[in-house]
Amino acid sequence: MQKKLGFGFMRLPVLNPDDMTSIDIEQVKKMADYFIGHGFTYFDTAYMYHDYKSEEALRRAVVERYPRDAFTAATKMPLALMKSADEHAKIFENQKKNVGVDFFDYYLLHNMTLEQYERAKKWGTVDYLKAKRDAEEIRKLGFSCHDTAENLAKILDDCPGFDFVQLQINYLDWENAGVQSGACYKAAEEHGLKVTVMEPVKGGTLAKIPEDAEKLLRSIHPDWEPAHWAIKFVASLPDVQTVLSGMSTFEQLKSNVDAMTDFTPFTGEERDAVMKAGEIIRKWYAIPCTGCRYCVETNHCPRNIPIPNYFALYNAAKQREPESIPGGFMIERLYYGNLVNDGYGKASACVKCRKCEKVCPQHIKIADFLADAADFLEIDMAGALEALHKKPE
């Protein structure tokens, strides 16, 4: 039986944090060795991850170093990037070369919303991939989805024959009206599909949680890290077959592997505790951004605004707002100024074209939050620094 933890190749370690293509391949090899050495096999990548270098990283770190039966490879057809049906074969064959395999154990249509499904149906994308499954170039066919439960059900009703579906599920989003983790899981369950989970730790949000929430969880299991609770929550759902975690360091990977090596499903007490922790966390952060970077990698903001970076700075600053120095100095504002000086567009440069919002898996009103971030982060740094260093009267 396949162990439930999967290694997501969307947030790999990089040598240069400003260059997503600078993957630290030696570190990834070390991580893959530990992962496989402990009986885990599932590796998940996608065509555009790490600015189109993630599939190659999977080939170099795993495929070229292990026999084919030692690992499970999954990747995705990038519907959002396609212009016509003519691209099916080109992209699929490129992916086989990128990853270095003759077949994919799992293959998905990437982020198939109801709108994207209509395009896929028009182009015959599903039929093309089902033919690849018949030819055994794909063993299991599915799709990832960041749409509503209602739209997910419409797709499954209209297009039977998928083997699984990949959904964003975590305890923070279980009852979220935008993400609808719980409702989407139920829709998949009602259609008899197994579920692969993405974002179980919500882009790291559930790895570092408020003190009150962590205290609650450690009162039950003092040795469990917050991220362990998040991963075990989704792994405990009966129809979940794999839980993907985008692990950026060896320490993160080792911690998750160790936690899931002898996995047992949640008890009622554990589930109640994690849901109460979720209630605490929801009151804590400002913008539910996971840092997936779809907004900048697949749509390329016309004003070159590094949206995830600014949202991360805004969230961090708002959490520490009472610590702000009189005059407005906060370290996050300094980092913001550094990014602007490096040539990135200011948050206030947003023209509200809202192209980024169309590809946001979290359904965030990005333009509105950029306005909030601009109001908070864009201050007179010279005046703030002067106030910081001013001697008391």
Side-chain angles (χ1 to χ4, degrees):
M1 181 178 178
Q2 178 177 291
K3 292 187 176 183
K4 285 194 172 185
L5 181 65
F7 190 167
F9 266 44
M10 187 171 79
R11 297 184 176 92
L12 297 173
V14 292
L15 298 171
N16 177 0
D18 295 323
D19 179 6
M20 296 304 292
T21 68
S22 65
I23 297 169
D24 185 347
I25 197 67
E26 295 306 315
Q27 179 78 343
V28 177
K29 288 178 181 178
K30 179 182 176 183
M31 295 165 74
D33 290 345
Y34 192 87
F35 189 75
I36 292 175
H38 284 75
F40 296 87
T41 63
Y42 196 108
F43 293 87
D44 172 86
T45 183
Y47 194 62
M48 75 280 287
Y49 287 174
H50 277 270
D51 287 345
Y52 304 91
K53 290 297 183 179
S54 176
E55 290 179 336
E56 178 186 330
L58 178 57
R59 185 189 76 236
R60 294 176 62 192
V62 178
V63 178
E64 293 177 349
R65 301 173 61 241
Y66 284 93
R68 186 61 183 88
D69 60 358
F71 62 88
T72 302
T75 195
K76 310 171 185 74
M77 179 70 74
L79 289 172
L81 301 179
M82 294 174 59
K83 303 300 182 184
S84 71
D86 296 336
E87 296 183 87
H88 289 149
K90 177 182 178 181
I91 290 174
F92 188 80
E93 292 304 318
N94 280 344
Q95 289 179 300
K96 288 201 299 181
K97 291 178 182 178
N98 289 343
V99 181
V101 295
D102 295 324
F103 69 91
F104 293 104
D105 301 276
Y106 292 85
Y107 195 90
L108 304 88
L109 292 95
H110 200 171
N111 191 19
M112 193 161 73
T113 61
L114 187 60
E115 179 183 0
Q116 295 280 35
Y117 170 62
E118 292 301 328
R119 295 173 66 200
K121 186 162 63 171
K122 173 185 175 182
W123 293 337
T125 308
V126 178
D127 290 338
Y128 172 84
L129 294 177
K130 284 183 176 179
K132 290 296 183 183
R133 184 176 59 184
D134 291 341
E136 298 189 344
E137 291 180 73
I138 294 171
R139 299 297 165 85
K140 298 288 184 181
L141 178 62
F143 63 94
S144 62
C145 183
H146 290 282
D147 211 334
T148 64
E150 180 181 3
N151 286 347
L152 172 60
K154 287 179 179 178
I155 295 171
L156 295 175
D157 288 339
D158 190 65
C159 189
F162 287 104
D163 300 304
F164 70 104
V165 63
Q166 186 164 304
L167 302 172
Q168 175 172 322
I169 304 178
N170 55 70
Y171 68 82
L172 196 61
D173 291 327
W174 188 251
E175 296 179 356
N176 182 291
V179 180
Q180 299 184 8
S181 282
C184 286
Y185 174 79
K186 184 177 180 182
E189 184 180 49
E190 290 174 346
H191 286 81
L193 291 182
K194 291 296 183 181
V195 174
T196 294
V197 172
M198 53 186 163
E199 299 290 358
V201 192
K202 200 171 173 64
T205 297
L206 300 180
K208 186 177 180 181
I209 60 178
E211 184 177 344
D212 289 350
E214 183 168 354
K215 184 177 180 180
L216 169 65
L217 298 180
R218 289 196 184 275
S219 70
I220 298 174
H221 290 294
D223 57 334
W224 285 15
E225 296 297 327
H228 299 166
W229 282 89
I231 291 173
K232 288 171 182 282
F233 167 79
V234 289
S236 297
L237 298 170
D239 288 312
V240 166
Q241 61 181 1
T242 306
V243 180
L244 301 175
S245 181
M247 297 168 280
S248 303
T249 67
F250 179 80
E251 290 71 23
Q252 289 176 0
L253 180 132
K254 182 178 184 302
S255 176
N256 289 341
V257 164
D258 293 352
M260 289 295 291
T261 294
D262 295 313
F263 168 74
T264 56
F266 264 5
T267 64
E269 180 189 21
E270 289 164 344
R271 181 184 171 84
D272 289 345
V274 84
M275 297 307 284
K276 288 178 182 176
E279 294 175 8
I280 297 171
I281 298 167
R282 274 187 287 274
K283 301 174 183 177
W284 181 65
Y285 68 91
I287 306 173
C289 174
T290 67
C292 71
R293 304 188 66 81
Y294 284 15
C295 55
V296 291
E297 289 183 356
T298 65
N299 232 46
H300 301 295
C301 171
R303 289 293 184 265
N304 193 30
I305 300 171
I307 298 165
N309 304 65
Y310 288 172
F311 283 175
L313 291 173
Y314 180 72
N315 276 337
K318 292 296 285 185
Q319 291 158 19
R320 299 192 304 102
E321 192 169 10
E323 302 173 19
S324 180
I325 304 296
F329 180 81
M330 294 186 78
I331 193 65
E332 289 80 11
R333 287 172 174 145
L334 183 61
Y335 281 116
Y336 174 81
N338 290 341
L339 287 167
V340 172
N341 290 336
D342 285 342
Y344 289 105
K346 291 183 176 182
S348 59
C350 175
V351 295
K352 299 188 184 301
C353 66
R354 299 189 186 273
K355 292 180 180 179
C356 54
E357 295 178 4
K358 293 181 179 180
V359 297
C360 177
Q362 311 307 318
H363 310 284
I364 298 170
K365 298 297 183 184
I366 293 174
D368 297 340
F369 278 120
L370 278 174
D372 292 342
D375 289 343
F376 191 82
L377 294 171
E378 293 178 13
I379 66 166
D380 177 10
M381 284 304 300
L385 288 169
E386 182 181 352
L388 174 64
H389 295 293
K390 186 178 181 181
K391 293 181 179 180
E393 298 294 338

